[in-house]
Amino acid sequence: MPELPEVETVRRGLQPVLEGSRLVKVEARRPDLRFPLPQRFSERLAGKKVTALGRRAKYLTMHIEDGPVLICHLGMSGSFRIETAGADDTPGIFHHERSKIAAHDHVVFDVASAKGERSRVIFNDPRRFGFMLFADGAADTHPMLAGLGVEPTGNALDCALLASLLKGRRSPLKAALLDQRLIAGLGNIYVSEALWRAGLSPLREAGTLADGGKKARAQAEHLAQAIRSVIADAIAAGGSSLRDYVHTDGSLGYFQHSFAVYDREGEPCAKAGCRGHIERIVQSGRSTFYCRTCQR
Ligand SMILES: [Zn+2]
């Protein structure tokens, strides 16, 4: 499943084509994805201008002038591709090969830029766990988005906020970081990576980072930095991959070359001076990768 950095990469790939452009025609080739498409889906979008393409957690938000906000989730296998005269681009790279099978092209946006250039943005989703919904009014108040926690990008997530989110929590640190009501869009892979960077065990009690002590404060600071940097690095890697592979069919996996612990069970820990090895454990039914030597 794509995580936040992959979704942000998709957003950045689509943004130049969609923002400021007009949706000349919108074709829904089936009535539903994971959920039924909104009523009068095509009619409410056709002819309208896209004022902004945003992202909240793992949701893309397409803002429509005098219209609804289109909230889009890629699900497990959803992808967008852009077809212009002479190019065929798939923004974002993913763990699984992107489908280009026409039978899975479910929604097609015909787009005209302000300069009159025509493109086609195609949503393809073989497994149909993705979805598109309308928010009338602010997207943030839509039930899908209303309960989401702070974004792990930018400077909002600092030491003080992180400590306040974790305060009093008895759950393992990893589980708390995966709780979308606390931090939105942080998934299994990047939580493992951030904890390794911060030198913190995924098993330690979350609340220990907010006990008011000097050591806890330093650890919370370190973790907040690690979360922000791991996400920023993954987005940067996606950006460069996007440029490098813009004409391929996107069969690469995630940003896995930059992973220090994820999927590296048994390998030596890459932290300078650490002689430990990466272990895999299962927490809440999901794999956690960590080094018990340097992560305490
Ligand atoms: Zn280590």
Side-chain angles (χ1 to χ4, degrees):
M1 186 180 286
E3 291 205 18
L4 187 155
E6 287 80 13
V7 178
E8 176 61 19
T9 300
V10 170
R11 190 192 71 79
R12 292 180 184 191
L14 293 174
Q15 191 176 29
V17 174
L18 285 174
E19 256 184 31
S21 295
R22 198 163 294 281
L23 302 173
V24 178
K25 184 181 157 202
V26 178
E27 184 190 354
R29 295 186 174 167
R30 53 175 303 126
D32 59 343
L33 298 166
R34 192 198 310 179
F35 309 123
L37 286 167
Q39 296 207 331
R40 300 178 53 242
F41 177 74
S42 301
E43 292 93 314
R44 291 193 65 190
L45 297 173
K48 298 280 178 66
K49 189 171 153 186
V50 178
T51 54
L53 185 67
R55 178 192 56 72
R56 176 75 170 102
K58 295 199 282 183
Y59 301 88
L60 292 168
T61 54
M62 197 195 291
H63 299 258
I64 308 293
E65 192 172 53
D66 301 322
V69 179
L70 177 63
I71 299 173
C72 175
H73 194 281
L74 299 171
M76 306 284 285
S77 58
S79 67
F80 282 98
R81 70 176 193 276
I82 302 163
E83 290 180 357
T84 50
D88 180 356
D89 305 342
T90 304
I93 54 172
F94 293 87
H95 211 47
H96 306 288
E97 190 161 344
R98 299 290 86 192
S99 160
K100 284 191 180 180
I101 299 169
H104 303 310
D105 289 346
H106 302 312
V107 183
V108 178
F109 301 88
D110 279 321
V111 174
S113 75
K115 290 181 191 159
E117 293 149 338
R118 298 295 284 261
S119 316
R120 188 164 254 210
V121 175
I122 299 162
F123 181 71
N124 181 295
D125 189 358
R127 297 180 67 183
R128 276 187 280 119
F129 282 104
F131 57 82
M132 294 188 190
L133 302 168
F134 282 156
D136 289 298
D140 277 354
T141 58
H142 188 278
M144 283 278 178
L145 276 62
L148 292 173
V150 64
E151 286 279 319
T153 53
N155 292 324
L157 186 68
D158 62 8
C159 159
L161 179 57
L162 185 60
S164 74
L165 293 174
L166 299 177
K167 193 174 166 80
R169 293 194 182 263
R170 312 287 305 270
S171 57
L173 183 53
K174 188 198 174 199
L177 295 178
L178 282 176
D179 186 339
Q180 300 298 301
R181 293 165 300 180
L182 303 181
I183 302 173
L186 206 52
N188 201 43
I189 294 176
Y190 295 108
V191 165
S192 285
E193 294 295 308
L195 287 170
W196 177 80
R197 285 193 189 190
L200 293 169
S201 169
L203 298 165
R204 72 145 65 204
E205 198 176 294
T208 57
L209 262 66
D211 67 10
K214 206 171 174 181
K215 191 174 169 196
R217 256 202 310 281
Q219 287 172 331
E221 173 68 43
H222 206 167
L223 180 57
Q225 268 174 24
I227 291 169
R228 293 198 311 263
S229 70
V230 92
I231 295 289
D233 290 353
I235 291 172
S240 57
S241 305
L242 180 63
R243 279 193 296 279
D244 293 347
Y245 298 104
V246 78
H247 293 297
T248 76
D249 61 5
S251 59
L252 292 170
Y254 268 95
F255 307 129
Q256 59 193 0
H257 303 298
S258 56
F259 294 158
V261 288
Y262 187 78
D263 221 8
R264 290 191 184 273
E265 184 179 12
E267 292 184 28
C269 176
K271 195 163 281 182
C274 180
R275 301 169 71 101
H277 286 76
I278 306 306
E279 290 176 45
R280 186 182 80 93
I281 56 170
V282 175
Q283 288 180 286
S284 316
R286 308 191 66 189
S287 292
T288 298
F289 297 88
Y290 84 115
C291 170
R292 74 164 69 212
T293 306
C294 64
Q295 288 180 252
R296 299 301 183 88

